[in-house]
Every structure is written in structure tokens, then in C-alpha cells.
Amino acid sequence: MVAFGYEFRKKYFPLIRKDVVPINHGSFGVTPSPIIERQKQLIDEEEKYSDEFYFITCHEEYIKQLKELGSYLGIDYRNLALVTNATTAVNAVLRSIPWDFSKDKILIHSATYQACENTVRFLSDYFKLQYDVVELPYPFEDDEVLNIFEEKLSTGEYKLCLFDMITSMPGITFPYLGLISLCHKYDVWSLVDGAHAVGQVDLSFLDKLKPDFMTSNLHKWLFVPKSCAMFYVNPKHHDLIQTFPISWSYGTRPIESPSTLEENEHNENLFVNKFSFVGTVTYSQMLSVSEALKFRSEICGGEENIRKYQYNLQRDAIAKIKNVFGPESELLQNSTNSLTPPGLFNMSLPLDEKYTPVLRLLQNDHRYFKLFRSKCDRKMIAESKVPCRFLVLNGKFWFRFSVNLYNEVDDYIIGAESVKSVMEHFLDTELQSIKLKG
Amino acid sequence: MVAFGYEFRKKYFPLIRKDVVPINHGSFGVTPSPIIERQKQLIDEEEKYSDEFYFITCHEEYIKQLKELGSYLGIDYRNLALVTNATTAVNAVLRSIPWDFSKDKILIHSATYQACENTVRFLSDYFKLQYDVVELPYPFEDDEVLNIFEEKLSTGEYKLCLFDMITSMPGITFPYLGLISLCHKYDVWSLVDGAHAVGQVDLSFLDKLKPDFMTSNLHKWLFVPKSCAMFYVNPKHHDLIQTFPISWSYGTRPIESPSTLEENEHNENLFVNKFSFVGTVTYSQMLSVSEALKFRSEICGGEENIRKYQYNLQRDAIAKIKNVFGPESELLQNSTNSLTPPGLFNMSLPLDEKYTPVLRLLQNDHRYFKLFRSKCDRKMIAESKVPCRFLVLNGKFWFRFSVNLYNEVDDYIIGAESVKSVMEHFLDTELQSIKLKG
């Protein structure tokens, strides 16, 4: 077995450019080359004889992927679908529900993924669906979050609550198990955005806790090609939830069949059948799930082995980043250490007091922050080749680092030095500009 | 230059299986190998340095594709977006409009593409949006269709009218120019489903006639990899129409910018910017548009040359199919010969009178027809390897044939013989079964 780290990168991620320090797996994911090869083979398959592929093979292969995924994750495949990405699944839910726009209300939180929050805003702007936003305190204790949510959910005002398993920015774990239970307790539908979940946390709770809806990208941490997500729907909603877009399968009922295949093959499962064909798209990513699972078990030695490497490297990386950022640098963590998943952690960059005026602007003026961030992003990405996402929280800069099997601790030393230098460069420029204006 | 036909297939479509008679391009399209190679290169590009690709390169490359496509089609690229497929664009329109569900009404016709009709049905089932269906008479004169639509549109009942440029089944041309004008006349929004249009008909009318919305798949007749469609939106709706799914760009206004890029680069165009990034998906198909246009102009000699080959081959194929189907076999055509686009035509298969009871059942019982069709489809696709779509219309079987640059007339002789034999086999079986039951 090839050791994780640079040897592993060389062998299985040969496409990653040599001049790049890849410490931002969380944003888009990177796919091992054997799985990319499988994806390309499948693209060829689609071309060889499209009628057979789309009318016959694809359905059979789709179900095979679902069964293997269900078995790998320890959940019933009949509650699963494969969709384009987590945002698509969230849209499928929020836009399949026949809302009563005159009274229905949604609850979300302040770190909701922007695309998902935008979907809620869209429903509000266009159709007057109401929503509230829970403000999250950082770094939060699990109980603190549960209490804040319970206070809202117990009012009986909400039909649905959208929350994360692991938020994107900052990259931290949410008390999702408790939140699912709270939703059940107060009869609120739970829509669980687990965009970063598969490949980082155990999902076998799904069939036990039975949230209403859950989705997780498979292209981020499970190594499926871009882009693919799993979409879990509680059996009681299989009839309600429709594909996104609506396609040929709309109106599929347990006793009916898609027009192009034998009827008796299609009564097995309503939800699986409804989502198995959503028109002409490439299914090459979805049908590579099996290859990704094989890679993770056979080449990587399974989930436990993967997480062990990530947690060990994370621990070492934190120490090294502190050396660079300075002794006052902190890990975003709570008293029970429940905030960091294996692949993501957030570190603060302590700043000289002279930058306080800039920091204040960044914290209070979202437009100013977005412009500042876009300048830093472009320099980090195009010049330094060290991509790293950041935000301002509690008056501090926080950088989100990703940990994967192709990383070694040197990535974080180089990475931390680079982001620190980019940040100080732009802070100096902004400070200068404020002084000139002031 | 390689001659069109089998030599062309061998050189540019080497993936098409040798045992298949590919006379059904219309369903999924087939992509020439140089364009598939470009797609695969782009998949690699996405992996090499995802942050640079998604935050910087992708936006620039997307605009480049739009500009080239606009220039190739003779239309302003600023009214165009690239989306997954035509159904997605139709969904984007129908589900971006803030309907007044208490009174708004849609008009569609009886040959509306199933996935699009389903989207309308979904809006009706879930939100009580009203719709009417115009019954089409076959084979229709253009004026006949315009009159039927005018009668409905002139009532003032409709907010939007969804119609095709070329219907899928049967594959015939609609009087879309007249219909767009009628919609303008009666102040009804036109949603033009041109799924089969690009690569078959001239689209330069778009900037002159300015329908409200139009979409066309690029993976069917333009040789872009699966799947990609262009989406035209009249400038007056650029603010209204949102991406599908809603993504990061929701709320993009002419004066605002996506968070991750320089502000001043993003004021050029609202619609282009809104659709340029819709989250983590592979953009490898969309960014292959340029390669497809190069293939069509440099390798195929341009649109006129392509259509000339298609029309000539269509003419020869019709004669040969008549030889096989029998002298009473007809082309689905009207008095002005306006029904057949270059790549699609429909021929009737005359049947012995003994099959009348089966035919009657097929025409009157949609469920029975679907079951019958699925049996025929499976035999045609999996056994005969001659895929061919069919329907029953005016008491006759009609088969839809596709014509493309990799076809020669022999395909249609073998094809017609094969579908005739499959059809007669299943008609005999059904007849037997009816007699036994009766």
C-alpha cells in the first residue's frame, strides 16, 4: 500500500499541479485518477450506443450504485437518490413542497450555505414564503445551539428547519443528531444539509433517526467525480418530492412505470425509479460511485483508516500553523472538542493592533468585506497558488484549512506563511487607504 | 476533407458500436471524438487546480463560449446562458415566475415534450396553476396551427404560451415564427422549446422577433457533449429569471458582483454573470461549445453544407423506406412541405387490416400503448440494435428517423426492415392475446 501524503498524491492525484499547495479540498474536492479514468470510460459508453445506455443500462447501473452506497454507509438504498449536488437536493425539497405561502415559515441559521440561503430568499422574494434566521454564537457549545433552536422550534411557527451537519464557513460540525430529534419533537420537517458529511462522518444514523430530508455531496469527501450528491428522503415523503428539474418520471407511482422499460421491473421502489432517469445528462459521475467506494476501501484501507490519517495530520498541522501565525493563534473549538470534523479546521490569525480600523470595517460592512476578500482570493489563487478560504468572526480573521490523504504537514507550514503574507499585504494597503481618506 | 457517411463515421465517430444502426440521433445526440477529447481535457483541467478553475478560469471561458456561440448563430451573446439541457431551461422559466396562482394560466399543445408538460402538470398539481392543452391535427398546415392558437391566445386568458420549434414526437417543424408574433400581438409571454433547433434551423430571428424565452439543446444537433443547452432570455426578463437551481449568484444585480471576483469585471452583463457560475458541477460540456463550433465549420464545412447533406440523404432515405414499408407508406408532411427539418422525418408503416383491433387499443388506451412500446423498444434496442421511436397517430404507426453526417442510405434500408419485422412480431403476439381473451 502506498503511504498517504506526497507519495499518495504522486500516485493517485497526478493531475494536481506541482506549483499548487492544495489545502482547500473543502471547496470543490479533488478526485483520484483511477476514478477520473472510470468517469471517462463511462462518457465513452454513453456515446457507443446511447439508446441502450439511456433506456436500459443506465437504470440498472444507477441502482447498482445506490445499493453499493447504501451498503457502504449502512443505510437502506431505497431512501436514496443520486443528484447533481447538495444545492440541487436542497432546491428539490424546498421547491417540491406545496407551501401555503400565506402562513408557512422556514427556520435557517446564520452560517447556512449561501446558495441554500439564496433559495430560501428566492422563495421569500418571489412567493412570500416566510423565514427566520438563527444567529450562531462562536465558538458554540452543542447545547447552546440546541437551546437556541429549541426556543424557536417550540413556538410551533415553523414547517421546516434547514441546518447543516458541517457548515462550510467556518468549517465546523453542527449538533445535527440533537437537531433532528428536536425537529421530530416539535413536528417540524428537518432538511439536513450534509454537503461535507459523507466521507467525514458516519451516516448510519439516517435509518435510525429518520430526518425528513438529507443530502451530502459525494464529490467533496468521497472522491466521486464532480459533481454528484446523495439525497436521502424519508419514506413518508417519497411521493411528495420530485426530481429537479421535473422530468419524464413525474407522476411515477408505486404501481406505474417509466414508459420505456418493462413494467414489472419498476414496481420495486417509487423513489429510486423516480430519480433514476432525469433526462439527457451525463450519468458518468453518478455511475462512478462504485469506483470511488472501491478506492476508499481497497486503496485507502477504509473510512476509519482515512479519518485516522486526517486527525493525526490535523493535530500536527495545527501546531505548525501556530508556529507561523503566532502563539495567540487559536483553533476554533468548544469545550467538548466537537467542532472539528476530520477534514476541516479553522485557525485565527492574530493581528497587530494597528489593523483594528480595517478589521472593524471588514466586520461591519459586508460589501467592503466582499471586495477585500475578492482581492485576497485572486492573489492567493492566481499568484501564491495557496488557496485558503477565510472570514471575520468575533473580531478575528479565521482561515479554513482542509486535510486530505494527499497532504503532509509541510503543506500547512508553506500555506500558513503564504496566507499570512497575503493578508498583511492587503491589510497594509487598506490601512493606508483609510488613513489617506481619514 | 473526409466525405460524409461511413468514412466520416469511422474517422470522427469511432465510438459508435459497429453492430448498431444509428438512425436515432434525435433522442440523445452523438458527439464527434475530437469534441469528446476536449471534454476530457477539461475534466482534467478542473482537477489540476480547482480553485483557479472555478474562481477564475471558468468565468472567462464561459463568456468566451457564449461570445463564439452568439457570433456563430448571429445573435447577441448577452441574452444567452448555457444550462444543462432544454428541460432545465424550461424549468428555470416556469419556476422563476412569481405566478399569481389564483388566476394565471398557461397554454401548451398536445405534442409538448413530456418532461416539459410534466413541469406544467406539477405546477398545476402542487400550486393550482391553470393550463390548457391545444390539440394538434396531423399533418397540419402552418396556418391551421396558427389559427388554433390565435383562437386561444386572443381570449386574453393566458400569461404564457409554451410551444416547440421542432416537436420531439413526431419530429416535425412548428410554425414558431408566426407563434412568436401571435404571442406579442396578444401580450402573452412566449416560451419557445427549441430542443431540436440549434444545428437544424437558423436562429438569427431571435434578436429580431425577440420571444420572451427560448432554449435549445446543444448536445443534440450541434455536437456539444452531453449535456448542454443554450438559454435565450429577452432582456426585459434578465432580472426576473433565476438559475436552476438557485445558487450563489441569486441577487446579482447590474451594479453588484459575485463575491469571488473583481467588481469591475462584473458589471458588463447581468444575465451572463448570473448564469456563469451555478456551483460545483462539471463545466466540461459547456466549455466544449467552442470545439463543437470549430468542428462544424472547419471539418463539416459549415451549417449550409451540413443541411444539404441531410436533406439529400433524407430524400433518398424516404424512397428506400417506402420500398421496404410498402407503396402506401407516407411521409408526415403538409401541402407546403414545411414539416420536415433537415435531421428528422416520420414515415408511416402500412398494416394489414387484421391488426385493426390492436391498433384501436394502442390508439385509445395510453397505458396499453406504453406497455406495447416498451416491449418493442427493448427488442429494437437490445436485440435488433436498430433504435427507432414510434407513435400511433390518425390510426397509423409513424416511425421517426434521424439523419446525420455519419449516416448513409443503407442505414435506412436495414433500419426499415428491422423495425418492420419487430413491429409485426409484437402485433402478431398482441393479436393472438386479444383473440384468446376475446
Side-chain angles (χ1 to χ4, degrees), chain B residues 25 69 72-73 75 80 165-166 193-203 205-206 214-224 228-231 289 293 296 303 307 310:
Chain B
H25 188 92
L69 182 66
Y72 191 80
L73 299 176
I75 50 182
L80 300 182
M165 288 180 65
I166 297 167
D193 180 354
H196 287 271
V198 176
Q200 289 207 80
V201 296
D202 184 357
L203 290 185
F205 71 86
L206 280 172
M214 183 271 187
T215 181
S216 183
N217 285 319
L218 305 184
H219 59 260
K220 277 195 196 291
W221 299 95
L222 202 75
F223 293 151
V224 173
C228 183
M230 60 170 264
F231 180 25
V289 166
L293 298 177
R296 288 180 81 79
E303 294 300 302
R307 287 172 208 173
Q310 286 175 297

Side-chain angles (χ1 to χ4, degrees), chain A residues 95-99 101, chain B residues 101 122-129:
Chain A
R95 298 170 79 184
S96 281
I97 296 173
W99 300 105
F101 294 115
Chain B
F101 294 115
F122 161 79
L123 287 167
S124 168
D125 293 344
Y126 278 54
F127 300 101
K128 314 281 179 226
L129 186 70

Side-chain angles (χ1 to χ4, degrees), chain A residues 172-363:
Chain A
I172 54 178
T173 308
F174 230 61
Y176 51 88
L177 298 177
L179 282 168
I180 294 169
S181 300
L182 277 181
C183 283
H184 281 313
K185 181 173 172 188
Y186 295 108
D187 203 18
V188 174
W189 287 355
S190 48
L191 168 50
V192 187
D193 181 354
H196 288 269
V198 175
Q200 289 207 79
V201 296
D202 184 357
L203 290 185
S204 60
F205 71 87
L206 280 172
D207 282 347
K208 290 170 208 115
L209 273 187
K210 287 192 191 325
D212 290 274
F213 315 103
M214 183 270 186
T215 181
S216 182
N217 285 320
L218 305 184
H219 60 259
K220 278 194 197 289
W221 298 96
L222 202 73
F223 292 151
V224 173
K226 297 172 187 66
S227 61
C228 184
M230 61 170 263
F231 180 26
Y232 164 93
V233 170
N234 185 307
K236 71 181 172 191
H237 300 303
H238 284 188
D239 199 29
L240 180 78
I241 298 301
Q242 302 301 337
T243 62
F244 198 83
I246 298 291
S247 187
W248 284 83
S249 66
Y250 177 71
T252 300
R253 291 285 174 276
I255 51 152
E256 272 191 14
S257 70
S259 64
T260 49
L261 287 154
E262 294 288 344
E263 183 152 61
N264 58 11
E265 293 175 22
H266 278 270
N267 291 331
E268 196 190 350
N269 193 283
L270 168 63
F271 187 65
V272 168
N273 292 338
K274 191 155 55 172
F275 277 75
S276 74
F277 180 72
V278 289
T280 305
V281 296
T282 178
Y283 291 84
S284 57
Q285 304 95 311
M286 292 184 185
L287 303 189
S288 297
V289 166
S290 170
E291 191 72 24
L293 297 178
K294 199 176 101 188
F295 184 85
R296 288 181 79 81
S297 52
E298 291 178 13
I299 308 290
C300 307
E303 295 300 301
E304 211 175 316
N305 204 38
I306 294 168
R307 288 172 208 173
K308 195 176 128 199
Y309 182 79
Q310 286 175 297
Y311 271 126
N312 285 339
L313 180 53
Q314 184 186 120
R315 185 198 55 219
D316 296 346
I318 290 167
K320 298 291 184 187
I321 292 168
K322 271 196 184 212
N323 285 348
V324 178
F325 280 7
E328 285 168 48
S329 171
E330 297 166 64
L331 172 71
L332 191 65
Q333 189 56 286
N334 62 14
S335 70
T336 60
N337 292 322
S338 68
L339 293 188
T340 48
L344 294 166
F345 64 95
N346 312 272
M347 299 286 292
S348 67
L349 174 68
L351 292 180
D352 191 290
E353 273 199 13
K354 68 179 177 183
Y355 296 123
T356 308
V358 187
L359 208 54
R360 205 175 293 137
L361 262 177
L362 289 168
Q363 176 120 347

Side-chain angles (χ1 to χ4, degrees), chain A residues 24 51 125-126 226 240 250, chain B residues 24 47 51 125-126 240 250:
Chain A
N24 185 31
D51 297 86
D125 294 345
Y126 278 53
K226 297 172 187 66
L240 180 78
Y250 177 71
Chain B
N24 186 31
E47 295 299 312
D51 297 86
D125 293 344
Y126 278 54
L240 179 78
Y250 178 71

Side-chain angles (χ1 to χ4, degrees), chain A residues 15-17 20 24 27-31 36 39-40 43-44 46-52 54-56 60 84-85 87-88 91 95-99 101 113-115 118-119 121-122 125-127 219 226-227 239-251 255-257 259-263 265 277-282 285 367 370-371 373-375 377-378 380-382 385-387 389, chain B residues 15-17 20 24 27-31 36 39-40 43-44 46-52 54-56 60 84-85 87-88 91 95-99 101 113-115 118-119 121-122 125-127 219 226-227 239-251 255-257 259-263 265 277-282 285 367 370-371 373-375 377-378 380-382 385-387 389:
Chain A
L15 287 170
I16 295 179
R17 266 169 49 184
V20 172
N24 185 31
S27 283
F28 305 103
V30 192
T31 317
I36 291 285
Q39 178 190 18
K40 290 176 179 172
I43 287 172
D44 286 351
E46 290 173 341
E47 295 298 313
K48 284 178 186 171
Y49 186 14
S50 300
D51 297 86
E52 188 175 70
Y54 284 98
F55 285 126
I56 300 171
E60 292 163 3
T84 306
N85 53 34
T87 302
T88 301
N91 268 260
R95 298 170 79 184
S96 281
I97 296 173
W99 300 105
F101 294 115
Y113 187 65
Q114 187 70 55
N118 283 348
T119 308
R121 281 176 54 209
F122 161 80
D125 294 345
Y126 278 53
F127 300 100
H219 60 259
K226 297 172 187 66
S227 61
D239 199 29
L240 180 78
I241 298 301
Q242 302 301 337
T243 62
F244 198 83
I246 298 291
S247 187
W248 284 83
S249 66
Y250 177 71
I255 51 152
E256 272 191 14
S257 70
S259 64
T260 49
L261 287 154
E262 294 288 344
E263 183 152 61
E265 293 175 22
F277 180 72
V278 289
T280 305
V281 296
T282 178
Q285 304 95 311
R367 197 179 158 78
K370 277 170 77 177
L371 262 170
R373 186 180 57 186
S374 83
K375 283 183 249 178
D377 276 349
R378 192 167 273 269
M380 285 194 222
I381 292 168
K385 321 271 193 244
V386 181
R389 313 297 294 152
Chain B
L15 288 170
I16 295 179
R17 265 168 50 184
V20 172
N24 186 31
S27 283
F28 306 104
V30 193
T31 316
I36 292 285
Q39 178 191 16
K40 290 176 180 172
I43 287 172
D44 286 351
E46 290 173 342
E47 295 299 312
K48 284 177 186 171
Y49 186 14
S50 300
D51 297 86
E52 188 174 66
Y54 284 98
F55 285 126
I56 299 171
E60 292 162 4
T84 307
N85 54 33
T87 303
T88 301
N91 269 260
R95 299 169 78 183
S96 279
I97 295 173
W99 301 104
F101 294 115
Y113 187 66
Q114 187 71 54
N118 283 347
T119 309
R121 281 175 53 209
F122 161 79
D125 293 344
Y126 278 54
F127 300 101
H219 59 260
K226 295 172 187 62
S227 63
D239 199 28
L240 179 78
I241 298 301
Q242 302 301 338
T243 62
F244 197 82
I246 298 291
S247 187
W248 283 81
S249 65
Y250 178 71
I255 51 152
E256 272 193 13
S257 69
S259 64
T260 47
L261 286 153
E262 293 291 342
E263 182 152 62
E265 292 174 23
F277 180 71
V278 288
T280 305
V281 295
T282 177
Q285 304 98 308
R367 197 179 157 80
K370 278 169 76 177
L371 261 171
R373 186 179 59 187
S374 84
K375 284 183 248 178
D377 276 349
R378 192 168 272 266
M380 286 194 218
I381 293 168
K385 321 270 193 247
V386 181
R389 312 298 293 154

Side-chain angles (χ1 to χ4, degrees), chain A residues 97-116:
Chain A
I97 296 173
W99 300 105
D100 180 344
F101 294 115
S102 70
K103 68 175 178 62
D104 288 340
K105 209 167 171 181
I106 292 181
L107 186 64
I108 65 175
H109 61 76
S110 55
T112 301
Y113 187 65
Q114 187 70 55
C116 298

